[in-house]
Amino acid sequence: MDWTGIVPFGMDPRPASPGPFAGFKCDSVDENVCRSVDNMMEPKHDNIAVDSFLGLGMENMGISSKMDEFSLGLIDFSFLPDVYGGVLDHWSKQQDGEAALKPEILDGFLDEVEEVEHIYASHHLSSTANHFLPETQVKKEASEVDGEPYGLMNFSSESYSPSGSIGLSEWSKETTVPHTESSGNIKDGFATTNSDEMHCSSYESEDDRKPLSTLLGSWVGRGRSRSKNLFNTSRSRLDSHSGTKSSVSYDFRPRKEPLENYIHHTAENTLPSHDPITSSESEDDISLTIKSKSRSDRRKHQRMWTIDEVVKLLDGISHFGLGKWTDIKNFFFHSASHRTPVDIRDKWRNLLKASYSNKHNGDEEGEEKRRSAARTIPKDILHRVRELASLHSKSLSDFHGSSRSPSTSRKKKKKKKK
DNA sequence: CTTAGGG
DNA sequence: CCCTAAG
């Protein structure tokens, strides 16, 4: 076998500086990583792919976080194919033949469902999943099916994500590897060449295998325009595809990414029980879709940030550094169709605000119910926020050297120099 | 296109 | 969240 694709693990002796890893860019990282990323990315649903990558990447990058067990293969993604196939299956059934399985659809669908876990949940996943998901994870699945979509991200939160230990193995090995020799054109070559194999190994159980592979083939090929951004970020504004549930939203604006959301499934059935409390992700669609504002329907109904999201945000910042919002978006919120880098940043901004506003009124508790922004935010988080903030301000200042123009107090924000 | 700021 | 100005 040729494992060139996955070498990443021990490779790239990146200084594992505890500090934020700010300079990460695909190009700057060992090629292997990228390649492997590409490889494992493409075939599967973004979520998973990313997550796995994250695992690898982080590991690779020597980013220190509590993901010790991460790469030890605590779980395998064998369920994935199943899910996938299942989804498709459902789909095709519902659509009853007739263009049921078009790349567009899949694409849109997956995108829509952004939180794959919904699928997981709905599927026999439960059965398939149970044995690979750490109880915590499973539990999570049941209770807070939300913030932590793929349940793989929570690996480094100081005070959070107790469930953080997940690994990837089987799957990544399986699908990741294949042929990488053709380092030149991973994209094309891979898409066509590998997709088949992959599916053979992964989708063996479903009969839709055939269409699926072709489908994936094309699916894979999309949106890998620039090498800089491993993932397309270019979605978001225009395509905040709304209908997670019903109707169709037409967005014919020309865009790089072809189909995205021409079609919107009606497969609500596929996404069963949401936890009303925690899953805030997609039910809002129900409320404001239907009319399909066609374009720029970036929900005015702001989605509330879940704790998990915040945690991810923080993790992101601690890993990539402040201001690396695109990266953070890509790695930690890749599957969040909403949450643009800007949003992320805004959230950070707010957190920061809340963070120290909360600190100021030293009367501590008394009543956490105050409607201050910090209301929902657990102290842990705020704490982390503060830490990150200060930590960062420091690193920033001595990175630029203290000899930064007389106005040492740049503005008054984060770079306060502590 | 990505960030920083302001609205 | 949205919009705009800078790089």
Side-chain angles (χ1 to χ4, degrees):
Chain A
M1 270 221 175
D2 174 19
W3 299 92
T4 16
I6 53 173
V7 220
F9 271 100
M11 299 290 284
D12 189 21
R14 241 172 217 314
S17 57
F21 181 71
F24 175 74
K25 277 304 194 284
C26 182
D27 344 282
S28 63
V29 178
D30 189 329
E31 256 197 0
N32 290 306
V33 183
C34 292
R35 243 181 303 151
S36 61
V37 172
D38 254 75
N39 281 346
M40 56 171 100
M41 288 283 305
E42 300 304 326
K44 300 304 179 179
H45 179 2
D46 300 5
N47 293 325
I48 284 72
V50 175
D51 293 324
S52 4
F53 163 64
L54 184 65
L56 291 176
M58 293 314 199
E59 190 79 27
N60 188 350
M61 284 147 61
I63 289 183
S64 61
S65 46
K66 301 174 183 170
M67 43 187 303
D68 317 293
E69 312 120 59
F70 201 80
S71 52
L72 299 185
L74 292 174
I75 38 171
D76 70 315
F77 286 69
S78 48
F79 67 96
L80 225 175
D82 201 88
V83 172
Y84 226 90
V87 172
L88 289 176
D89 200 27
H90 270 348
W91 229 110
S92 55
K93 276 173 184 161
Q94 293 192 4
Q95 295 301 306
D96 235 331
E98 177 47 356
L101 284 176
K102 287 222 184 109
E104 303 89 286
I105 300 181
L106 174 58
D107 195 73
F109 181 60
L110 290 178
D111 260 7
E112 295 280 82
V113 186
E114 66 176 54
E115 320 296 11
V116 217
E117 76 190 337
H118 285 327
I119 305 180
Y120 296 3
S122 55
H123 251 279
H124 18 305
L125 151 94
S126 30
S127 57
T128 329
N130 273 331
H131 58 263
F132 75 80
L133 279 179
E135 341 171 274
T136 42
Q137 222 37 288
V138 175
K139 191 173 145 203
K140 223 173 164 115
E141 198 87 56
S143 54
E144 44 178 291
V145 185
D146 164 345
E148 237 295 337
Y150 2 133
L152 302 174
M153 290 315 222
N154 274 339
F155 55 82
S156 72
S157 334
E158 298 286 60
S159 40
Y160 256 78
S161 61
S163 54
S165 57
I166 288 127
L168 43 129
S169 56
E170 294 304 302
W171 175 75
S172 46
K173 284 185 192 168
E174 291 283 16
T175 53
T176 278
V177 200
H179 347 10
T180 319
E181 287 102 312
S182 55
S183 51
N185 51 341
I186 316 139
K187 312 165 182 191
D188 308 329
F190 179 68
T192 51
T193 323
N194 287 8
S195 59
D196 262 46
E197 243 183 47
M198 225 151 38
H199 299 104
C200 286
S201 59
S202 309
Y203 297 87
E204 217 49 292
S205 51
E206 300 296 334
D207 5 42
D208 281 326
R209 190 158 52 258
K210 175 51 180 282
L212 182 53
S213 61
T214 41
L215 176 163
L216 273 183
S218 39
W219 174 55
V220 163
R222 71 160 184 142
R224 189 140 261 73
S225 41
R226 298 180 306 149
S227 54
K228 187 198 172 182
N229 294 328
L230 277 69
F231 324 95
N232 330 322
T233 319
S234 49
R235 64 190 62 201
S236 62
R237 204 134 287 183
L238 345 137
D239 72 9
S240 45
H241 20 247
S242 41
T244 299
K245 173 201 184 130
S246 56
S247 73
V248 233
S249 72
Y250 355 79
D251 177 2
F252 294 116
R253 289 182 61 170
R255 55 154 141 331
K256 274 86 149 293
E257 303 174 61
L259 354 119
E260 264 335 328
N261 30 307
Y262 283 4
I263 310 170
H264 283 354
H265 53 84
T266 329
E268 235 298 312
N269 341 332
T270 333
L271 321 175
S273 58
H274 300 317
D275 186 320
I277 304 174
T278 45
S279 90
S280 56
E281 290 307 329
S282 54
E283 66 282 354
D284 62 322
D285 294 336
I286 303 176
S287 51
L288 37 79
T289 296
I290 302 233
K291 267 344 184 198
S292 71
K293 330 294 205 216
S294 74
R295 69 174 55 180
S296 70
D297 44 313
R298 190 185 179 66
R299 299 9 166 245
K300 43 180 57 163
H301 287 35
Q302 310 142 208
R303 296 211 217 344
M304 235 95 73
W305 277 68
T306 65
I307 301 298
D308 277 343
E309 282 178 310
V310 174
V311 171
K312 285 196 286 185
L313 165 55
L314 294 179
D315 286 341
I317 293 179
S318 56
H319 285 104
F320 291 105
L322 209 48
K324 257 43 190 175
W325 280 300
T326 303
D327 290 325
I328 298 179
K329 194 273 188 293
N330 286 334
F331 289 92
F332 291 82
F333 294 86
H334 178 41
S335 52
S337 50
H338 46 289
R339 310 305 188 211
T340 70
V342 180
D343 294 326
I344 312 274
R345 185 203 42 136
D346 283 339
K347 183 53 180 178
W348 167 250
R349 196 202 268 157
N350 292 333
L351 281 175
L352 204 58
K353 201 196 322 181
S355 155
Y356 69 71
S357 93
N358 174 301
K359 181 191 192 172
H360 183 265
N361 55 24
D363 103 68
E364 290 301 330
E365 314 298 299
E367 49 177 309
E368 284 296 322
K369 309 173 196 250
R370 54 156 73 53
R371 57 285 176 206
S372 74
R375 176 183 30 179
T376 324
I377 312 171
K379 287 170 66 174
D380 314 45
I381 302 295
L382 288 178
H383 209 277
R384 279 242 292 166
V385 173
R386 256 178 250 124
E387 296 212 326
L388 274 174
S390 61
L391 178 154
H392 236 88
S393 62
K394 182 160 52 80
S395 70
L396 248 179
S397 52
D398 48 53
F399 188 67
H400 284 146
S402 319
S403 54
R404 191 72 184 164
S405 81
S407 60
T408 27
S409 59
R410 305 156 70 63
K411 287 305 185 205
K412 60 142 178 222
K413 235 191 147 193
K414 53 226 173 161
K415 316 158 191 177
K416 269 263 303 294
K417 187 158 27 156
K418 208 237 178 103

